[in-house]
């Protein structure tokens, strides 16, 4: 009950609705206190404050937040801001921007929780003395992997890592002069960096594998795991999907309808209904009716598996 889960997100350009939906999903499923560190452009701050007030007024779960402007190293500031996609490299510099924060979960905007975010936070307790970050592999299957086929630089492990979900022990990062490492890696490998911050993280952990704790794929489940005719993420079959990552704009397309349906249900969720009536039942009604077009459409049961197991807790919380 005394736990406060810190979550950081960078919202720029077209990521406003997705970022707010990610925050809403965390508030929906949590039993803990949440604090959000939100980095955004000045013109978006008013809309974010207004929407967070609406969520706070509707939810019985209290949360706090602070909104800060995006900020990059003065040298090559525009280059850093536009690396891969606008503002996505901001997460690399959080240790020096949040000097009073010990640890946090960094998330891309296109993320949705399906379970309490504190369950993800608990992985900090599994870090050994040298580990300062936790991430999920980029791929589970070599024939469909990205880094083993296309990378122009060193990368972590056999198939690389994905930067969409990252636990960060900021205190430990500051002790190893993390920002200096980031800048040095960029200077050395900039000509081969295609995926921005994710490539930089892969290079860092290639040279420092002792710093990373590897999470299983159910904590960052993407359409990449199921769009090639089978489910590469076996953990999702047995354990359910804990975090949905709607990369490739999949929340807004019909390519993988279960992703879009889950996103739509979260966006339209009325806190007054409770999770059972407002989320689980609509998903249970809509997801089985999705026509079989690709293997992603078969993964709907894994999307609601953990939610189903927690329904009694959520009902007790609402009472």
């Amino acid at each position: 009950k005394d736990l406060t889960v810190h979550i950081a997100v960078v919202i720029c350009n077209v990521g406003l609705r997705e970022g707010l939906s990610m925050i809403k999903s965390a508030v929906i499923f949590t039993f803990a206190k949440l604090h959000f560190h939100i980095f955004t452009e000045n013109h978006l701050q008013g809309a974010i404050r207004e929407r967070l007030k609406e969520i706070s007024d509707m939810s019985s779960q209290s949360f706090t937040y602070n909104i800060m402007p995006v900020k990059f190293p003065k040298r090559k500031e525009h280059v850093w801001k536009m690396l891969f996609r606008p503002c996505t490299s901001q997460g690399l510099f959080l240790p020096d921007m949040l000097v009073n924060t010990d640890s946090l979960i960094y998330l891309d905007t296109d993320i949705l929780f399906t379970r309490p975010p504190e369950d993800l936070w608990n992985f900090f307790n599994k870090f050994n003395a040298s580990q300062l970050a936790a991430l999920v592999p980029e791929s589970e299957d070599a024939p469909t992997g990205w880094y083993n086929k296309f990378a122009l630089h060193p990368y972590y492990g056999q198939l690389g890592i994905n930067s969409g979900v990252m636990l960060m022990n900021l205190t430990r990062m500051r002790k190893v002069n993390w920002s200096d490492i980031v800048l040095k890696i960029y200077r050395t490998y900039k000509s081969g960096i295609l995926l921005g911050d994710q490539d930089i993280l892969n290079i860092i952990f290639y040279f420092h594998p002792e710093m990373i704790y590897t999470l299983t794929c159910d904590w960052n489940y993407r359409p990449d795991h199921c769009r090639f005719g089978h489910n590469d993420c076996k953990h999702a079959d047995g354990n359910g999907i804990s975090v949905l990552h709607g990369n490739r704009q999949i929340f807004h397309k019909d390519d993988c309808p279960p992703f879009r349906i889950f996103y739509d249900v979260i966006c339209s969720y009325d806190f007054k209904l409770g999770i059972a009536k407002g989320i689980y039942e609509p998903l249970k009604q809509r997801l089985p009716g999705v026509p079989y077009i690709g293997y992603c459409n078969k993964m709907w049961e894994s999307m609601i598996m953990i939610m189903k197991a927690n329904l009694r807790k959520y009902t007790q919380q609402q009472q």
Side-chain angles (χ1 to χ4, degrees):
K1 291 183 178 180
D2 295 330
L3 173 67
T4 299
V5 175
H6 289 253
I7 297 175
V9 63
V10 181
I11 300 176
C12 282
N13 203 9
V14 296
L16 178 62
R17 187 165 185 253
E18 284 188 347
L20 291 169
S21 298
M22 180 279 290
I23 291 171
K24 184 179 180 182
S25 76
V27 174
I28 289 169
F29 292 114
T30 192
F31 296 102
K33 299 175 184 176
L34 301 179
H35 181 82
F36 297 98
H37 305 269
I38 303 167
F39 294 85
T40 189
E41 297 164 301
N42 291 335
H43 70 278
L44 295 178
Q45 291 192 16
I48 292 173
R49 291 183 192 278
E50 182 178 342
R51 180 59 181 142
L52 291 180
K53 184 179 184 305
E54 292 175 2
I55 295 174
S56 179
D57 290 343
M58 292 186 294
S59 171
S60 60
Q61 202 68 24
S62 63
F63 63 89
T64 55
Y65 65 89
N66 54 312
I67 299 179
M68 295 151 284
V70 291
K71 185 178 180 181
F72 298 94
K74 290 184 179 180
R75 292 187 63 183
K76 299 185 180 296
E77 181 177 1
H78 182 71
V79 172
W80 281 107
K81 183 175 181 179
M82 301 307 295
L83 196 67
F84 187 49
R85 293 195 186 98
C87 305
T88 55
S89 66
Q90 180 72 90
L92 295 172
F93 302 103
L94 296 185
D96 291 338
M97 299 184 70
L98 298 171
V99 294
N100 296 317
T101 303
D102 175 70
S103 299
L104 55 75
I105 301 170
Y106 172 82
L107 300 172
D108 282 354
T109 55
D110 52 356
I111 294 289
L112 291 175
F113 285 98
T114 74
R115 68 187 297 167
E118 54 267 30
D119 292 347
L120 177 57
W121 180 272
N122 287 338
F123 281 98
F124 279 118
N125 298 325
K126 298 188 177 184
F127 281 21
N128 65 27
S130 66
Q131 290 167 338
L132 49 72
L135 299 98
V136 169
E138 168 64 18
S139 178
E140 300 290 316
D141 182 45
T144 59
W146 161 265
Y147 282 102
N148 57 313
K149 289 184 178 181
F150 305 112
L152 304 175
H153 54 74
Y155 56 88
Y156 176 76
Q158 295 182 339
L159 299 171
I161 50 171
N162 184 276
S163 61
V165 176
M166 178 165 59
L167 275 65
M168 304 174 70
N169 186 312
L170 302 183
T171 299
R172 292 184 180 183
M173 287 179 161
R174 287 187 285 266
K175 287 181 179 179
V176 301
N177 296 315
W178 176 263
S179 293
D180 291 342
I181 295 174
V182 169
L183 295 173
K184 181 180 179 180
I185 291 296
Y186 175 74
R187 287 194 298 267
T188 305
Y189 293 97
K190 60 183 177 182
S191 63
I193 291 174
L194 301 176
L195 302 179
D197 59 313
Q198 180 168 296
D199 284 354
I200 292 173
L201 289 169
N202 267 282
I203 300 169
I204 290 174
F205 294 126
Y206 169 83
F207 289 109
H208 299 282
E210 74 283 357
M211 292 183 177
I212 183 174
Y213 179 97
T214 306
L215 297 165
T216 53
C217 51
D218 46 311
W219 290 100
N220 184 350
Y221 191 88
R222 285 160 278 127
D224 301 2
H225 287 122
C226 55
R227 69 191 184 99
F228 296 107
H230 57 281
N231 173 43
D232 297 339
C233 180
K234 302 308 178 186
H235 291 278
D237 283 333
N239 304 325
I241 295 169
S242 297
V243 174
L244 276 176
H245 186 172
N247 66 332
R248 305 178 187 275
Q249 292 291 304
I250 208 70
F251 287 147
H252 312 289
K253 298 178 180 178
D254 289 326
D255 298 15
C256 302
F259 283 83
R260 178 180 50 77
I261 291 170
F262 200 104
Y263 177 78
D264 290 345
V265 168
I266 292 295
C267 289
S268 61
Y269 173 64
D270 184 346
F271 284 89
K272 297 175 185 175
L273 295 176
I275 291 173
K277 291 184 178 180
I279 298 180
Y280 179 75
E281 290 181 9
L283 289 175
K284 187 73 182 298
Q285 183 178 19
R286 294 175 62 183
L287 289 174
V290 173
Y292 179 73
I293 302 171
Y295 203 90
C296 288
N297 293 0
K298 295 182 67 176
M299 293 305 297
W300 66 267
E301 289 183 280
S302 294
M303 292 183 180
I304 62 174
M305 184 184 298
I306 301 169
M307 193 190 318
K308 180 181 179 181
N310 286 330
L311 281 180
R312 179 175 294 182
K313 292 181 181 178
Y314 292 128
T315 302
Q316 291 173 346
Q317 181 191 42
Q318 189 181 19
Q319 292 174 348

